[in-house]
Amino acid sequence: MKTQKLFLVCLLALGLGSRSGQTQEMVGLTVTPHLFSSEMRWRRPPEQTLSARVEMFLQNQGEESLILTDELRFDGKTPEELLQEGMWAWHDMPGRWPDKRLELKTGELTVLEWNGRSEAWGATTGHQWDSGDGKTHDFVLSSPSIWISGVRFLGSVSNDSAKDSLSPNRVLIHVDNRGSQTFSLKDVQIWLPPEGSGTRRFVETEVTRHMTMLPEEGVLGANETAIIHVECEPLPLGYAVIQVVGSDAAGNPQSLWSCLRVKKEVFDISGGWVASKLGDKNSLTEESYLKTLGRMHINTGQIQDVAGYTDQPELYAKYPLKRFNRLQPIEAYDRDEILPTIHAVEFLGEPQYGGGKPVPPQDVHDALAPYRSSRMATSVTLSEERTWRYYAGLSDYPHYDAYRVIAPAADHWSGYDRWGEKPIRWGAPLETIGVMTRSLRHHSRPRSIAYWSQGAHHDWGSWRNPRRGSPTPDELRSQAWHGLGNGVTSLYWFNLSLKSLLKFPDLIEPITRVNREVRMLEDLLLESQLYDYRCVEAENGKQWDLTHLVGARASMVVIHDLDYQANREKREFVFTPRLARVDVKLPSWLAKEVDIFRIDADGVHEVESRKMGRQLHLEDEVNVVGIYVVSSDPQMRAELTQSHAELISREEAFGFDPASNPEDLDRLRALLPPN
């Protein structure tokens, strides 16, 4: 990454005068500095300009209502002027809001957002702000080292009514301290919109039932992470402001802030464009194809309404796939009975490309704006790490696509020197998936992110190319776990259409196995956040990529083999099982007795390890990737073993297995119309 550190949250507490004796206070700024990777290679070099994404939290602390309008000025200019001059990439200010104004009552809070495009608006820069009263107020986009790295809204497995409802009743908050001083966590305040007030005003609430912290004393050491678990009243699906109250090493009060959509987090696995025409039918009306997707643990697709499928309650309930599309008219989908069938809103394609001309980030903002008042999360497909920082913050659940062999790609594959002086053009380093995942996670946090992983696709490559037109099972598994191991919370496969699966039926079982691993670990993946990343090198080059995901109940250590070879004749990446010896530093709450084991699609396995306090040494043979669970919960191993057995039983219950049964595969082939 660029030499600039990954800093985030800045708190300012500035008393600001306003009209008629009104009092407003900027209670906080959340600053996300831009970065780009030095490991990626592009045909055109990345723009060197590094700016920052900013959330400004403003509270009315006076006795009279406070009116915000499009008279706001920053450094003497309107947000629109800063946008047109290229200072900002996009903004969310009253001038873009439906009513062009906002009335804040006493004690209420609002959030003003913008994403910079110029170094003049980057971290460490100073500015002035005028709310329209003619008075200017100074503020600085500082870059402290404490930030909220992740917020997950979850349901409770111990409360059936909450589990089955639309609303989450747990919040997991991850806080990172990348500074040299301690930070003490004190409390969490959840701000919600007053009932019937829309999405721009927030008030303090008393929804918290119980709160726990790890470390238990709430003291966050230098270069450490902490987890806050809040059990609360069911939260409405909309937007919320999360305030983490704490103090620095000198005892000075300090709060960390974030505004994001409340969405009940689940781990969804998409099959991509699963709805395709079969003559006068659709593939999703064919039960044998639905069984194939169900057996593969696919629960989402790029669909909205499919005649003969979504309008057939019995068939749809038996083989459900969540919707992932435009979802308009909004009122037809923002309904209690439909919301559980929705993954996210996604209809803008890849705006960084825009059919050859990039769609400006502000246009993306405006296209998604009508969904803000709905209860549906929005998503945008990002493509180029080189410039996606300008699109950061636009959607509730951002994701990206990047495929590392044979497929079209945004980056310049011939520019990588990974395999010596003679470059290859048919593939890119598989570990760049991890690079991009960490980049998107940084720019988007504390939001969750997702990843399109390379699966089977019928339209890659050509008859003149000696390599196969889709990844090998090892290439496929490596790419998926570089995303999973770096903290994505949904996985989308491109592309599991009927035609694609039938062209590469040898990938049905490898994809099923990755998905089985995800389903075993999905609760841990949702609860965890990337704690540490390390590249283990040796004299002969890179050896292992080590990612460490930390949650309240367990850590997950993922070891990625980097010593794979490029077979230039077959144009394939080749892995050989190797012995890995790695050292891991555990979070403080796992310093005592823990259970350590390996997970894969075949179940739970023993692993050789040594532990001294927080230091863990692992030794194991790794083939492509090794996934290890470190847990203080004595029931964790048994729970995952049971989960594996249930997943196998579920696969068998479909009574259809085209990966291993030639007759079932023939039944699938018979669905395709003749050429």
Side-chain angles (χ1 to χ4, degrees), residues 91-110:
H91 70 84
D92 186 43
M93 299 280 182
R96 291 274 171 170
W97 299 351
D99 296 333
K100 308 295 183 183
R101 68 193 296 275
L102 180 70
E103 179 181 354
L104 277 184
K105 298 179 181 179
T106 299
E108 292 183 342
L109 187 82
T110 195

Side-chain angles (χ1 to χ4, degrees), residues 420-433:
E421 296 181 0
K422 186 178 180 181
I424 61 175
R425 297 182 178 180
W426 48 264
L430 304 175
E431 58 271 22
T432 50
I433 295 297

Side-chain angles (χ1 to χ4, degrees), residues 376-423:
M376 299 184 293
T378 61
S379 189
V380 169
T381 309
L382 299 173
S383 313
E384 291 192 40
E385 195 271 347
R386 184 177 65 91
T387 57
W388 68 27
R389 58 190 182 272
Y390 302 130
Y391 294 81
L394 288 173
S395 70
D396 303 311
Y397 195 25
H399 63 269
Y400 78 100
D401 62 352
Y403 315 129
R404 301 290 81 188
V405 294
I406 203 66
D411 54 327
H412 183 44
W413 290 1
S414 296
Y416 293 100
D417 57 1
R418 175 75 161 77
W419 295 278
E421 296 181 0
K422 186 178 180 181

Side-chain angles (χ1 to χ4, degrees), residues 408-480:
D411 54 327
H412 183 44
W413 290 1
S414 296
Y416 293 100
D417 57 1
R418 175 75 161 77
W419 295 278
E421 296 181 0
K422 186 178 180 181
I424 61 175
R425 297 182 178 180
W426 48 264
L430 304 175
E431 58 271 22
T432 50
I433 295 297
V435 172
M436 289 183 279
T437 305
R438 292 188 294 276
S439 172
L440 184 61
R441 174 183 172 271
H442 163 75
H443 288 104
S444 305
R445 60 189 176 195
R447 294 169 173 84
S448 300
I449 63 170
Y451 164 54
W452 279 100
S453 196
Q454 188 172 15
H457 185 51
H458 67 274
D459 202 23
W460 287 325
S462 68
W463 64 272
R464 294 173 296 178
N465 196 318
R467 81 146 285 150
R468 59 184 275 138
S470 275
T472 66
D474 284 350
E475 292 168 341
L476 177 145
R477 177 171 165 77
S478 177
Q479 292 182 73

Side-chain angles (χ1 to χ4, degrees), residues 310-605:
T310 55
D311 58 358
Q312 300 298 311
E314 185 176 347
L315 181 66
Y316 187 60
K318 191 174 182 180
Y319 306 105
L321 290 172
K322 288 187 177 181
R323 294 168 167 90
F324 193 15
N325 213 297
R326 180 181 292 270
L327 304 179
Q328 288 188 357
I330 294 174
E331 61 273 13
Y333 296 93
D334 189 11
R335 297 185 291 142
D336 287 356
E337 63 271 26
I338 299 295
L339 285 172
T341 74
I342 292 174
H343 173 72
V345 174
E346 202 275 345
F347 63 95
L348 294 171
E350 298 173 89
Q352 285 183 276
Y353 291 155
K357 183 179 181 181
V359 178
Q362 188 69 58
D363 290 355
V364 175
H365 169 278
D366 295 345
L368 296 177
Y371 294 92
R372 184 180 176 93
S373 59
S374 79
R375 294 177 292 172
M376 299 184 293
T378 61
S379 189
V380 169
T381 309
L382 299 173
S383 313
E384 291 192 40
E385 195 271 347
R386 184 177 65 91
T387 57
W388 68 27
R389 58 190 182 272
Y390 302 130
Y391 294 81
L394 288 173
S395 70
D396 303 311
Y397 195 25
H399 63 269
Y400 78 100
D401 62 352
Y403 315 129
R404 301 290 81 188
V405 294
I406 203 66
D411 54 327
H412 183 44
W413 290 1
S414 296
Y416 293 100
D417 57 1
R418 175 75 161 77
W419 295 278
E421 296 181 0
K422 186 178 180 181
I424 61 175
R425 297 182 178 180
W426 48 264
L430 304 175
E431 58 271 22
T432 50
I433 295 297
V435 172
M436 289 183 279
T437 305
R438 292 188 294 276
S439 172
L440 184 61
R441 174 183 172 271
H442 163 75
H443 288 104
S444 305
R445 60 189 176 195
R447 294 169 173 84
S448 300
I449 63 170
Y451 164 54
W452 279 100
S453 196
Q454 188 172 15
H457 185 51
H458 67 274
D459 202 23
W460 287 325
S462 68
W463 64 272
R464 294 173 296 178
N465 196 318
R467 81 146 285 150
R468 59 184 275 138
S470 275
T472 66
D474 284 350
E475 292 168 341
L476 177 145
R477 177 171 165 77
S478 177
Q479 292 182 73
W481 269 103
H482 273 293
L484 292 164
N486 280 280
V488 301
T489 59
S490 280
L491 190 68
Y492 315 144
W493 291 101
F494 190 92
N495 185 33
L496 307 188
S497 68
L498 177 60
K499 187 174 183 179
S500 295
L501 289 181
L502 288 177
K503 185 168 184 179
F504 298 99
D506 64 322
L507 291 182
I508 294 176
E509 185 62 16
I511 294 172
T512 301
R513 289 175 63 84
V514 171
N515 292 347
R516 189 188 305 153
E517 292 165 348
V518 170
R519 291 295 179 221
M520 289 176 67
L521 296 167
E522 58 186 341
D523 288 342
L524 297 184
L525 289 167
L526 291 175
E527 296 170 5
S528 300
Q529 192 76 7
L530 186 65
Y531 172 59
D532 188 30
Y533 159 74
R534 209 155 33 89
C535 179
V536 180
E537 299 190 13
E539 291 183 1
N540 61 337
K542 296 181 177 180
Q543 294 292 302
W544 312 100
D545 249 2
L546 186 68
T547 57
H548 188 185
L549 297 167
V550 167
R553 297 187 297 154
S555 277
M556 284 186 292
V557 178
V558 184
I559 302 174
H560 311 267
D561 184 6
L562 298 187
D563 196 34
Y564 57 91
Q565 303 299 311
N567 185 318
R568 295 178 182 270
E569 182 178 347
K570 293 185 176 181
R571 299 189 179 182
E572 294 178 352
F573 293 132
V574 179
F575 289 82
T576 302
R578 298 190 301 121
L579 180 63
R581 297 185 178 93
V582 299
D583 295 303
V584 180
K585 181 182 178 181
L586 298 174
S588 60
W589 55 89
L590 292 178
K592 298 180 181 179
E593 184 175 350
V594 294
D595 189 16
I596 305 166
F597 48 89
R598 175 167 54 86
I599 287 286
D600 63 21
D602 296 318
V604 178
H605 311 276

Side-chain angles (χ1 to χ4, degrees), residues 31-44:
V31 180
T32 308
H34 289 173
L35 56 81
F36 61 84
S37 170
S38 61
E39 297 181 50
M40 302 296 296
R41 297 291 179 264
W42 308 98
R43 293 170 182 84
R44 289 181 299 148

